[in-house]
Amino acid sequence: EPRFANMTALITGAGSGIGRATAIRLADEGAALALVDLNETGLEETASMLPEGCRARIYVVDVADEKAVETCAVDVENTFGGISVLCNNAGMICEGSWGRSQEDFADWRKVYEVNVLGAMLFTKYTREQLKASGVGSIVNTASVAGIRAGAGGNAYSASKAALINFTKTSACDFGEHGVRVNAVCPGLIETGMTKPVFDYARHAGKEEKLGSRAELRRHGDPTEVAATIAFLASKDASFITGQALAVDGGNTSS
Ligand code: NAD
């Protein structure tokens, strides 16, 4: 039987990149999907890429909008009868912050609202569904930037470090209910978020620099992160909780 047969997964940031690859992966393995993003066109595109017969619904929601998250969670419960997998994957970086420190209060607040509070809100409003499923699992998309100083600016790095710690405290909160909570920490992956970096490197003829921080000397593909998210969300990881697993080609290993 497929690993996610008779299970529903809610994925935020499902309109692009890693979230889209995760949606396709979980659907291929039998999951029904609640797909959340700000970007409606992106969500429709993701939905059109799912295998035939996959049950999916799209939700245009800002993960930092408490009321919208609560409404979404209620609709998901009514539509699917609750979720057993939550992927808090939506995230953002401030425009122009690559490689720089930010000191703008509004930038810091925005990054924290989406990257940290967004995960907190979906965790809060799906808590009872996850507990009731009996096999509940949360996977948060953090970053290698949350492990050491990252390329996306200090606000982004600090927000991802906060998300890693929130993953661990959530694992404590949920443990007695049998719900596991883990994080993936991707290295450099080619997605919408990193497009400026890839465009710049290609334009400047510095493509080989893109993977230079990874032991494997390359950047990663969203499907490689999606495969890890699927593993952590599945019963194959039934004794793993509170972990932050780097999917980074060895970027943080030395
Ligand atoms: P992406 O830009 O392709 O996808 C992110 C998606 O999140 C977009 O569709 C965007 O519309 C959505 N989103 C942003 N803010 C939102 C909000 N407030 N509410 C709802 N949706 C929102 O980028 P990606 O690389 O696939 O990013 C996915 C996750 O992976 C992010 O959390 C990112 O920080 C993390 N990450 C990415 C990399 C990388 O190299 N690409 C590395 C480490 C971590």
Side-chain angles (χ1 to χ4, degrees):
E1 189 167 69
R3 285 194 297 185
F4 297 102
N6 305 315
M7 291 165 80
T8 299
L10 189 159
I11 304 168
T12 70
S16 176
I18 294 167
R20 171 174 293 166
T22 302
I24 294 168
R25 176 74 194 228
L26 296 184
D28 278 342
E29 295 199 47
L33 298 175
L35 304 171
V36 173
D37 205 293
L38 268 180
N39 178 354
E40 186 167 17
T41 316
L43 282 174
E44 282 165 356
E45 222 171 286
T46 301
S48 75
M49 296 165 82
L50 299 175
E52 214 169 301
C54 168
R55 196 163 161 232
R57 187 158 185 166
I58 66 173
Y59 294 90
V60 181
V61 168
D62 179 348
V63 298
D65 176 343
E66 179 169 17
K67 198 73 216 144
V69 172
E70 185 178 11
T71 305
C72 173
V74 170
D75 190 274
V76 168
E77 178 152 38
N78 293 335
T79 305
F80 296 94
I83 60 166
S84 39
V85 175
L86 170 64
C87 300
N88 284 312
N89 167 80
M92 64 167 292
I93 210 160
C94 279
E95 204 65 37
S97 66
W98 288 103
R100 281 190 214 108
S101 289
Q102 294 157 252
E103 292 181 325
D104 186 275
F105 181 67
D107 280 356
W108 269 77
R109 176 138 75 186
K110 185 75 202 150
V111 167
Y112 262 72
E113 277 178 359
V114 176
N115 296 3
V116 186
L117 300 186
M120 183 281 284
L121 287 173
F122 264 102
T123 302
K124 171 175 174 174
Y125 287 106
T126 60
R127 172 183 297 275
E128 295 309 318
Q129 300 180 38
L130 288 162
K131 278 162 59 176
S133 80
V135 288
S137 162
I138 300 175
V139 184
N140 296 323
T141 307
S143 172
V144 293
I147 297 173
R148 56 157 177 67
N154 56 358
Y156 180 77
S157 280
S159 75
K160 293 299 188 178
L163 184 58
I164 291 171
N165 199 277
F166 177 60
T167 300
K168 296 178 184 188
T169 51
S170 296
C172 296
D173 286 350
F174 278 100
E176 63 180 310
H177 305 290
V179 176
R180 300 177 300 101
V181 190
N182 293 290
V184 288
C185 297
L188 182 63
I189 312 292
E190 186 163 12
T191 66
M193 179 179 282
T194 50
K195 189 172 185 303
V197 176
F198 281 85
D199 284 352
Y200 172 78
R202 285 180 181 138
H203 182 74
K206 293 181 174 166
E207 219 169 332
E208 81 287 347
K209 277 215 134 187
L210 286 169
S212 61
R213 289 194 76 158
E215 301 298 350
L216 294 178
R217 308 288 194 278
R218 66 172 178 87
H219 63 268
D221 187 82
T223 56
E224 296 179 290
V225 184
T228 310
I229 291 173
F231 163 66
L232 288 172
S234 79
K235 60 179 184 301
D236 286 333
S238 53
F239 204 47
I240 303 178
T241 194
Q243 299 302 304
L245 180 55
V247 186
D248 66 349
N251 184 315
T252 48
S253 67
S254 56

